[in-house]
Amino acid sequence: GENGGGGNGRDEVESLVACYVSLVKSMALRADVNTLPFMVVRCKVWEVGEEGEEGHYVEKVTFPLYTCAVSLLPSSLYPGVDPFVRITGFNAILNCIKLAADENINIEDRKGVEIVVLREEEEVGMEIIKELVEGMMGIRSYMEKHVFNPSVPFHGRLNASPSPNSCVTNMIEGTLKLGDLLSCGLTRFNEMVIEGVLAGFVYPMILEPLAMGWRGGGLR
């Protein structure tokens, strides 16, 4: 600021973020069969045709509440998201996905939500994969440095970094989040998330090391 202090500016930003998170949370809790028609936005967008083809209008469906909830997850642009904000965003995402699987809701509104959810599946799936991979990498690193290293005394293993407890916690949180997502009941979304977890976690972090150990004779 003009007085050389940046505290007021940071306080204002934190206050705005808190209001934004509270708004997303409250709207997600109030999204139901009666309010969803006011949240799903449909508009006609002019799409330029390819060479030799005429342009035409196409319907674009947006669900701003879901997009805002996804923005609360960590990303390459905002990696240091507060854990409370992450949890709030993820819970809002769960509430939105459940709407797409709720047969009591108008089919057009459900399809609109489903289109947006599937469009942004990768960002949500990466939240799960990131926690699972970080947990597995931490456990593997801990085992290599402290458990299988004879030069490390036993008492040194208990105070090792990264802490095995934090690594296991990441694994548990990722697994619980995966279970919560799959229980929402949106079949196509579940298929895409499972494919992502298999490709990003199960194959490279579990099956490939097992296969290498088997080929090397270590597991026989």
Side-chain angles (χ1 to χ4, degrees), residues 152-191:
V152 177
F154 180 76
H155 64 81
R157 302 175 189 179
L158 298 179
N159 300 317
S161 179
S163 165
N165 291 335
S166 65
C167 300
V168 172
T169 298
N170 278 347
M171 290 283 291
I172 293 174
E173 288 182 355
T175 303
L176 291 175
K177 284 183 176 179
L178 177 61
D180 289 339
L181 278 177
L182 298 182
S183 67
C184 290
L186 189 55
T187 303
R188 180 56 186 144
F189 180 82
N190 290 352
E191 293 172 350

Side-chain angles (χ1 to χ4, degrees), residues 20-32 36 39 63-73 83-100 113 116-117 120 124 127 177 180-181 184 189:
Y20 177 72
V21 172
S22 297
L23 176 62
V24 172
K25 179 180 179 180
S26 62
M27 290 187 66
L29 292 174
R30 288 170 174 77
D32 55 24
L36 188 61
M39 297 182 178
F63 186 24
L65 172 60
Y66 186 81
T67 304
C68 292
V70 173
S71 72
L72 299 180
L73 300 179
F84 171 75
V85 175
R86 292 176 63 175
I87 293 172
T88 301
F90 191 79
N91 288 335
I93 287 170
L94 292 178
N95 289 342
C96 293
I97 296 175
K98 290 175 183 177
L99 294 173
V113 174
V116 177
V117 167
E120 304 193 30
V124 180
E127 165 78 356
K177 284 183 176 179
D180 289 339
L181 278 177
C184 290
F189 180 82

Side-chain angles (χ1 to χ4, degrees), residues 5 7-8 12 37 73 88-90 100 130 144 161 172 174 193-194 206 209:
N8 291 336
E12 290 179 0
L73 300 179
T88 301
F90 191 79
K130 180 174 179 291
E144 291 175 350
S161 179
I172 293 174
V193 170
I194 291 172
I206 300 178

